[in-house]
């Protein structure tokens, strides 16, 4: 006997392994290669017709009221129904859309919001690290205060992120203005940004381990 008996199972193991690998490749292309989440213009329909244009724009609601974790953690946070009901126990209580939120709140289940922006799992991004250095929400998400339904306005690709890391000054502002999406600087934004880069000690890294950990 040249080979032990267990080697008879090698072809079957190889075929099974190739099958698993093929399934993973298909899943990877479907999950990360989908035009959803990062292709400019992607605008999914949400389960509740929530208007950012009304809330953040006309009513002037600060982004941080709903996206409460944006200054403290990686993820901005999706508001639980408790946040919505803070106002809507009294405001527009007869609205069919508010009734959806009320039912979810009473049942103790979250609203199944459709995610708009999603980076691949191999890319690390921390919201707090950016907003606490003076990067406004508008840089990545655009004029959300003018959108009824949020859509993708920036590619969020590696090249797009690197452009900002290599030259962040035009995108840096006073931290007090990060949620003022309509704000425009007087004069050259890059020159103003350089002042805040010094103030906030902004030195973005461009090595691979910055985003790929």
């Amino acid at each position: 006997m040249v080979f032990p008996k267990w080697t008879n199972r090698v072809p079957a193991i190889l075929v099974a392994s190739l099958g698993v690998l093929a399934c993973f490749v298909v899943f990877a292309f479907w999950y990360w290669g989908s035009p959803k989440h990062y292709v400019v213009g992607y605008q999914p329909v949400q389960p509740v017709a929530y208007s950012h244009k009304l809330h953040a724009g006309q009513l002037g609601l600060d982004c941080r009221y709903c996206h409460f974790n944006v200054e403290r953690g990686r993820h901005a946070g999706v508001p639980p129904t408790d946040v919505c009901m803070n106002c809507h126990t009294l405001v527009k209580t007869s609205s069919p859309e508010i009734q959806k939120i009320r039912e979810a709140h009473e049942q103790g289940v979250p609203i199944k919001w459709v995610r708009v922006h999603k980076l691949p799992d191999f890319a690390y991004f921390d919201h707090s690290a950016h907003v606490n250095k003076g990067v406004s929400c508008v840089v990545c998400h655009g004029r959300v205060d003018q959108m009824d339904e949020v859509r993708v306005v920036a590619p969020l690709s590696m090249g797009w992120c690197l452009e900002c890391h290599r030259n962040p000054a035009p995108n840096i502002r006073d931290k007090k203005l990060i949620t003022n999406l309509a704000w425009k600087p007087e004069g050259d934004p890059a020159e103003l940004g350089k002042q805040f880069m010094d103030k906030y000690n902004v030195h973005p890294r461009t090595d691979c381990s910055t985003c790929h950990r």
Side-chain angles (χ1 to χ4, degrees):
M1 181 182 295
V2 179
F3 300 105
K5 273 189 175 182
W6 65 264
T7 57
N8 293 331
R9 298 194 295 271
V10 170
I13 293 172
L14 288 175
V15 170
S17 299
L18 288 173
V20 171
L21 178 62
C23 290
F24 174 78
V25 170
V26 171
F27 171 78
F29 274 95
W30 169 80
Y31 188 75
W32 288 301
S34 167
K36 296 181 179 180
H37 312 302
Y38 67 89
V39 169
V40 173
Y42 173 59
Q43 186 179 48
V45 176
Q46 299 293 348
V48 176
Y50 176 89
S51 172
H52 279 78
K53 183 177 181 179
L54 170 63
H55 291 80
Q58 297 175 26
L59 299 177
L61 196 64
D62 191 288
C63 306
R64 292 165 292 194
Y65 183 74
C66 295
H67 301 291
F68 48 84
N69 203 45
V70 72
E71 294 177 304
R72 299 189 298 270
R74 284 187 60 189
H75 306 289
V78 177
T81 54
D82 289 350
V83 173
C84 305
M85 297 308 294
N86 283 341
C87 294
H88 288 292
T89 51
L90 299 173
V91 179
K92 296 194 71 174
T93 55
S94 61
S95 165
E97 298 303 307
I98 301 305
Q99 288 177 10
K100 295 178 186 178
I101 297 174
R102 182 184 297 108
E103 288 175 6
H105 180 69
E106 291 173 351
Q107 295 170 11
V109 296
I111 301 293
K112 294 183 179 179
W113 301 107
V114 180
R115 191 164 184 172
V116 181
H117 302 86
K118 180 178 176 61
L119 293 178
D121 290 346
F122 53 76
Y124 178 89
F125 178 84
D126 188 326
H127 277 83
S128 65
H130 290 76
V131 298
N132 287 313
K133 295 294 185 180
V135 179
S136 170
C137 313
V138 75
V139 173
C140 300
H141 300 296
R143 291 297 303 276
V144 175
D145 58 324
Q146 296 178 348
M147 303 179 194
D148 282 315
E149 289 186 342
V150 174
R151 64 183 180 277
V152 177
V153 298
L156 305 183
S157 63
M158 184 172 75
W160 185 83
C161 294
L162 278 172
E163 283 182 12
C164 185
H165 273 232
R166 288 167 178 159
N167 182 31
N171 297 318
I172 305 294
R173 62 176 69 182
D174 191 327
K175 289 190 287 187
K176 297 176 183 176
L177 298 170
I178 59 169
T179 60
N180 184 347
L181 308 186
W183 178 82
K184 296 290 183 184
E186 295 181 4
D188 185 357
E191 288 302 317
L192 181 63
K194 288 177 182 177
Q195 298 176 29
F196 285 107
M197 284 182 66
D198 291 336
K199 182 177 180 180
Y200 301 143
N201 192 29
V202 177
H203 301 288
R205 294 165 49 193
T206 57
D207 57 280
C208 302
S209 63
T210 303
C211 301
H212 304 296
R213 304 183 178 185

